[in-house]
Amino acid sequence: MTGRMYFEKDADLAHLAGKTVAIIGYGSQGHAQALNLRDSGIKVLVSELPGTVNFNFAKEHGFTPVSAAEAAAKGDVIQLLIPDTIQPAVYRSDVAPHLKAGKALMFSHGFNIHYRCIEAPKNVDVFMIAPKGPGHLVRSEFERGAGVPCLVAVEQNASGKALDIALAYAKGIGGTRAVVMETTFKEETETDLFGEQVCLCGGASELVKAAFTTLVEAGYQEEIAYFECLHELKLIVELLYQGGLSWMRYSVSDTAEYGDYSRGPRVITAQVKDEMRRILAEIQDGSFAREWILENQAGAPFLKRRRALGRQEKLEEVGRRVRKCMPFVKPKEPPE
Ligand code: NDP
Ligand code: MG
């Protein structure tokens, strides 16, 4: 099953001519999409919370930020780029009252539509353009004449032109200079959650931690364990990114390659794959979404507690110490 792919020739900015695009939220995605659209000649109105750092960025970049309600009232295409957990409340109070027939409601992630935290009226278009990269890359690639690949999905096509408008938007932010791939809100949301839970964040964090702890418990030096299990992962990921598993396996030593084939499957066992399928089932049946929405309604107690505990872990302590000796890493600390 392969969805359609769209390129420059498939998209026409004329579908946004005369329309105002309201970008609500001037964060990672918001600033990049707003600036790219404006550079593409599209009329953009930005909304940010007064007094915030991003409000001042928007002003420095030549926008005059307004309230979310004003942006929704004046926008023909309304792109919600505030954090996903805040979107439903802002939608209800500030956006929904201004969603007149013929307007379009947009997203860069499908969670709130797919799990029905936001239910748009039937007489508006609902679609998604989701860049497959962080905002700063969406901006820097555009500035050098290229673009970041995007996903496109249409949930409601009230105007009969939803896909055309979505592709025009993708062209405006540079997406069609790379490729725009067709998906659905369901597929984007479920694969995004699965990827971050099982592989990118949850899987990778626990893999690194378990490997580090195994070495330290066996009496090896913590700093050496840190280098072997965390630091060097960057080099491997870079190879995977450029040429997949084959290029990584070609670039590492034959000993490492042999260890990969013969030991890797003993780490990621059938039991691990069964657990991956259970995690996917919780995403598909909505139980993960329900859990996460309730967690937020309760003020995110689990998240806050785990965050605090996580920062005190041995791996983190050791990492902070080791990174101080490596200015080239440009060490970072999350805010309190
Ligand atoms: P950020 O957290 O970077 O930015 C959100 C911005 O919205 C912040 O500047 C925040 O202000 C502002 N904001 C919060 N509440 C309001 C409000 N009531 N009115 C106006 N502005 C408000 O979000 P992201 O860019 O990371 O995410 C936006 C969307 O893009 C999400 O749906 C996300 O899933 C999606 N996405 C993100 C990607 C990424 O790499 N970051 C990649 C692809 C999709 P303040 O900070 O001052 O509170
Ligand atoms: Mg993702």
Side-chain angles (χ1 to χ4, degrees):
M1 187 177 76
T2 306
R4 285 200 59 183
M5 299 202 183
Y6 301 97
F7 301 94
E8 286 286 83
K9 63 172 175 27
D10 305 309
D12 188 350
L13 288 174
H15 292 289
L16 282 173
K19 292 190 194 289
T20 297
V21 175
I23 303 278
I24 303 186
Y26 202 74
S28 174
Q29 287 297 328
H31 91 282
Q33 296 187 22
L35 289 169
N36 292 3
L37 289 169
R38 189 177 66 184
D39 288 351
S40 296
I42 291 156
K43 193 169 168 208
V44 178
L45 184 61
V46 163
S47 164
E48 246 305 332
L49 298 172
T52 60
V53 172
N54 289 335
F55 183 91
N56 292 330
F57 276 137
K59 286 213 307 201
E60 278 170 33
H61 298 161
F63 292 108
T64 306
V66 298
S67 69
E70 185 177 342
K74 293 183 175 162
D76 302 295
V77 175
I78 302 161
Q79 164 68 309
L80 275 187
L81 291 176
I82 55 182
D84 297 299
T85 48
I86 301 174
Q87 286 179 11
V90 173
Y91 172 80
R92 270 190 296 277
S93 63
D94 298 340
V95 177
H98 304 289
L99 267 188
K100 294 204 302 271
K103 290 198 179 194
L105 180 64
M106 264 193 85
F107 297 86
S108 282
H109 178 39
F111 189 100
N112 285 314
I113 288 291
H114 179 56
Y115 292 116
R116 305 194 183 290
C117 309
I118 292 177
E119 292 190 88
K122 287 289 163 224
N123 57 5
V124 303
D125 290 345
V126 177
F127 54 80
M128 161 171 46
I129 291 295
K132 289 287 95 186
H136 69 86
L137 197 66
V138 171
R139 181 59 183 159
S140 62
E141 280 300 285
F142 181 89
E143 282 182 304
R144 64 173 199 97
V148 167
C150 293
L151 302 182
V152 60
V154 174
E155 179 79 6
Q156 285 183 198
N157 185 13
S159 68
K161 295 262 183 227
L163 181 62
D164 290 332
I165 301 169
L167 290 174
Y169 188 101
K171 187 172 199 162
I173 65 170
T176 48
R177 294 172 179 175
V179 58
V180 178
M181 289 179 291
E182 184 182 48
T183 185
T184 59
F185 275 65
K186 173 179 160 60
E187 182 179 61
E188 188 275 338
T189 305
E190 293 178 354
T191 55
D192 187 72
L193 291 171
F194 181 80
E196 66 201 19
Q197 292 177 13
V198 160
C199 185
L200 309 174
C201 307
S205 303
E206 290 301 319
L207 184 68
V208 166
K209 247 167 57 182
F212 171 84
T213 312
T214 303
L215 283 180
V216 171
E217 283 173 0
Y220 295 94
Q221 292 183 66
E222 293 167 346
E223 291 77 8
I224 307 283
Y226 174 85
F227 274 114
E228 293 306 329
C229 301
L230 188 148
H231 182 80
E232 288 188 22
L233 194 55
K234 181 184 196 308
L235 312 174
I236 297 299
V237 169
E238 191 63 34
L239 295 168
L240 293 177
Y241 188 76
Q242 291 181 314
L245 294 171
S246 307
W247 176 245
M248 182 275 281
R249 287 163 168 168
Y250 166 76
S251 304
V252 299
S253 68
D254 285 358
T255 317
E257 186 182 5
Y258 178 78
D260 174 337
Y261 300 135
S262 64
R263 266 53 180 179
R266 288 171 54 187
V267 177
I268 306 300
T269 57
Q271 195 195 332
V272 172
K273 280 185 215 145
D274 284 344
E275 199 56 47
M276 288 185 179
R277 278 187 282 270
R278 276 194 287 277
I279 290 171
L280 180 59
E282 290 167 12
I283 292 167
Q284 291 169 327
D285 71 13
S287 45
F288 172 78
R290 213 161 24 248
E291 178 185 320
W292 175 227
I293 291 162
L294 287 173
E295 164 77 4
N296 279 292
Q297 285 172 356
F302 176 84
L303 185 70
K304 286 176 185 161
R305 173 107 188 103
R306 281 296 289 109
R307 193 179 278 160
L309 286 174
R311 289 182 188 179
Q312 295 162 20
E313 276 168 24
K314 169 74 82 195
L315 172 68
E316 294 299 275
E317 239 174 68
V318 175
R320 250 173 247 129
R321 212 161 61 222
V322 174
R323 287 190 294 270
K324 275 209 187 100
C325 312
M326 299 186 290
F328 62 88
V329 167
K330 302 191 187 82
K332 300 247 193 252
E333 278 291 334
E336 281 303 306

